[in-house]
Amino acid sequence: MVYRGKPGLGCALCRTRRLICDRRRPSCTQCLRVNQECSGYRDPNVLRICDQTDEITVKVEGRGTIARKQRKSSSSSKSPSPASILPAPTTIDDQVMSHIFTYYVGTTRVQGLLSYLPHLLSTDPSPALQATIKAAGLESMARINRLPELKRAAGEQYGKALIATNNALRDPASAKSDSTLGAVILLGMYELNTFPSPMRGWSQHVRGATKLVELRGTEQLNSATGLELFRLVRLQNAISSIFRRSQRYNSPKIAALTNVARANKDKNPPPMETFCDILIQQHDLSVEVDNAALADDSIDTLSVLISKALHLDTDLRSWAMSLGPHWQYSVVDIHSNPKSRPQIPLQSDTYHVYKAVGVVSMWNHYRQTRIILHEMIRSMALRLWGLQGTSECQQVVFDSIDTIKQMTDDICASVPYHFVSGEVTFTAVVRLLWPLFVAGDCASSDPATKEWIIQTLEHIGNTTGIQQALGMAKMLRNGHTRSFIPGT
């Protein structure tokens, strides 16, 4: 791959329609003219990479030309959605990089999951990172545009990316580089899209990325990119730990690196960093609950564990109440303002409006965490109720059921924002999957809510091609075993 200059700097609508974007703020003229929310503009300093693989280029562009002609012939009867339109017909590599920046990097207004990629591409564009970017971009285009040739090309590039990444991991120097860690993280994203089974592939890459972070030591915290990569891996590790419980997730090395990062860089850590601490505490408690369910389900043990869980829930609620104005959201009632009703099915008469996708993502992580915690409390309290028969146990059960229902309703109320905010990208919808799955799989989910969640996951899977969304919907329809609930 070689550098081919800067990508188009206009907003997404202007790039899609091949219009001249005047890049005015807060909205360009073209978006104002058609009454659309402007997506914002790309960073003019970002670079793009292009591969000179003529064979793939000719093959894919030939298929893409046919697809564009077919869409053009049917446009008079039905306008295609923006997600189904290919970018300007330049080279396949231009389209790959456009997708990467749109769905992974984002803009200055809507930051994506992998906002550090531009810096890595300009400082350390290793073969592993470049091959992984190409695979992820081709796969993204294949999902959106339903092009088999792109799917095959993505698979071929994925094989190359695995070989290049394994080669990088064998070398002591390159194994510690930001570029190699970035490639491992992006491989996990690729497999999240490709594999229908929840956690398959992704959790393995999270464990691999965690080991790399441990290997990289304190030097990685001396740069902004290294610190961002560390934070991302720590968050993914903490989130996955509440689903895949294991003693190895409680890494003393990660804890030590976190303390160094906060001492040197993060004297006032962002809210998500504090939330990670609570997630690790919940993981440790979950391991205790699993062990007790197998060895000691006595009245004394259950009482102690329920008390610990309720104290942890208090910490979660205190954390949520401490969030500043930027993290707050508003509740819209469609009866009081009928014109505000979004053009998607609603689970209730209200929905939430947030300031950014990152904000709603954080809230949904919080909600799914409390659902799992209270499912654990409810399960233990039911067993204790059977042993003691006290009204206190009964009240704990009812309180947990109420909390689970509230968290489920809030997750459902957050869904419309992703479709009315103008930020509907991979970055947005991929963060919805696990909160929706947890809400739909909890014991307190009523049949109507569960069906709405299943249909929403199917809609996400069918419109974006993210296979995990369809896999989750199928599992919910077939009746999942709720294996991620500790002690069950």
Side-chain angles (χ1 to χ4, degrees), residues 142-430:
R143 283 187 292 108
I144 292 176
N145 299 290
R146 307 290 200 273
L147 298 181
E149 286 81 356
L150 289 178
K151 192 71 174 178
R152 287 193 292 271
E156 294 173 4
Q157 200 65 37
Y158 173 64
K160 296 178 181 178
L162 287 177
I163 294 173
T165 302
N166 286 331
N167 289 337
L169 292 173
R170 292 190 188 99
D171 181 79
S174 63
K176 294 184 178 181
S177 70
D178 290 345
S179 187
T180 299
L181 180 56
V184 170
I185 294 172
L186 194 51
L187 280 172
M189 298 296 178
Y190 175 94
E191 295 181 359
L192 182 69
N193 300 337
T194 306
F195 298 141
S197 175
M199 285 291 180
R200 179 184 174 185
W202 178 74
S203 60
Q204 295 178 354
H205 284 290
V206 170
R207 289 195 290 270
T210 301
K211 292 179 180 179
L212 282 181
V213 165
E214 293 174 344
L215 177 68
R216 281 153 55 89
T218 58
E219 291 183 2
Q220 66 188 305
L221 307 175
N222 295 329
S223 68
T225 299
L227 183 59
E228 185 176 357
L229 287 166
F230 171 75
R231 285 174 173 171
L232 178 58
V233 172
R234 181 171 183 262
L235 174 62
Q236 290 184 344
N237 181 67
I239 292 173
S240 66
S241 72
I242 67 174
F243 295 103
R244 292 286 183 90
R245 295 178 297 282
S246 170
Q247 297 288 356
R248 68 174 174 270
Y249 276 110
N250 187 14
S251 168
K253 292 182 180 179
I254 296 294
L257 287 169
T258 300
N259 292 334
V260 173
R262 289 179 178 173
N264 296 339
K265 305 286 184 181
D266 289 336
K267 297 186 184 302
N268 295 307
M272 192 58 88
E273 279 291 293
T274 306
F275 182 63
C276 282
D277 292 338
I278 301 177
L279 288 179
I280 296 301
Q281 294 177 50
Q282 179 159 331
H283 164 263
D284 294 345
L285 177 61
S286 298
V287 172
E288 282 191 68
V289 172
D290 281 337
N291 293 337
L294 295 174
D296 182 15
D297 211 20
S298 65
I299 291 177
D300 290 342
T301 300
L302 287 172
S303 299
V304 170
L305 292 175
I306 290 173
S307 179
K308 286 184 177 181
L310 290 173
H311 277 96
L312 188 60
D313 187 60
T314 300
D315 291 342
L316 278 167
R317 289 186 286 113
S318 298
W319 172 83
M321 293 174 62
S322 71
L323 297 175
H326 173 72
W327 302 100
Q328 304 308 311
Y329 58 90
S330 58
V331 180
V332 179
D333 189 327
I334 61 173
H335 292 301
S336 60
N337 189 5
K339 293 183 179 180
S340 67
R341 185 185 184 98
Q343 299 302 310
I344 63 169
L346 298 177
Q347 185 259 345
S348 68
D349 294 334
T350 62
Y351 68 94
H352 298 169
V353 175
Y354 298 81
K355 291 181 172 62
V357 164
V359 175
V360 64
S361 173
M362 187 189 71
W363 276 108
N364 282 340
H365 283 318
Y366 161 79
R367 291 160 184 156
Q368 76 174 3
T369 300
R370 289 195 73 197
I371 287 176
I372 293 173
L373 181 61
H374 277 275
E375 284 281 12
M376 179 170 64
I377 294 171
R378 186 190 66 85
S379 177
M380 290 190 296
L382 279 173
R383 298 201 298 275
L384 186 58
W385 190 8
L387 294 171
Q388 285 186 325
T390 63
S391 59
E392 289 81 5
C393 291
Q394 184 184 39
Q395 189 60 50
V396 170
V397 172
F398 291 158
D399 289 346
S400 287
I401 291 175
D402 289 342
T403 299
I404 293 168
K405 186 179 185 307
Q406 182 61 58
M407 295 299 100
T408 297
D409 289 344
D410 285 346
I411 289 173
C412 294
S414 76
V415 171
Y417 170 79
H418 297 78
F419 297 91
V420 301
S421 65
E423 303 177 19
V424 184
T425 65
F426 169 86
T427 298
V429 296
V430 76

Side-chain angles (χ1 to χ4, degrees), residues 89-130:
T90 54
T91 69
I92 185 60
D93 305 299
D94 292 334
Q95 297 176 30
V96 165
M97 193 51 57
S98 175
H99 272 74
I100 287 296
F101 275 92
T102 300
Y103 292 102
Y104 293 87
V105 176
T107 65
T108 54
R109 189 176 76 88
V110 185
Q111 195 174 70
L113 290 171
L114 309 180
S115 57
Y116 53 81
L117 277 183
H119 177 75
L120 290 185
L121 292 175
S122 63
T123 59
D124 186 19
S126 68
L129 181 66
Q130 294 183 48

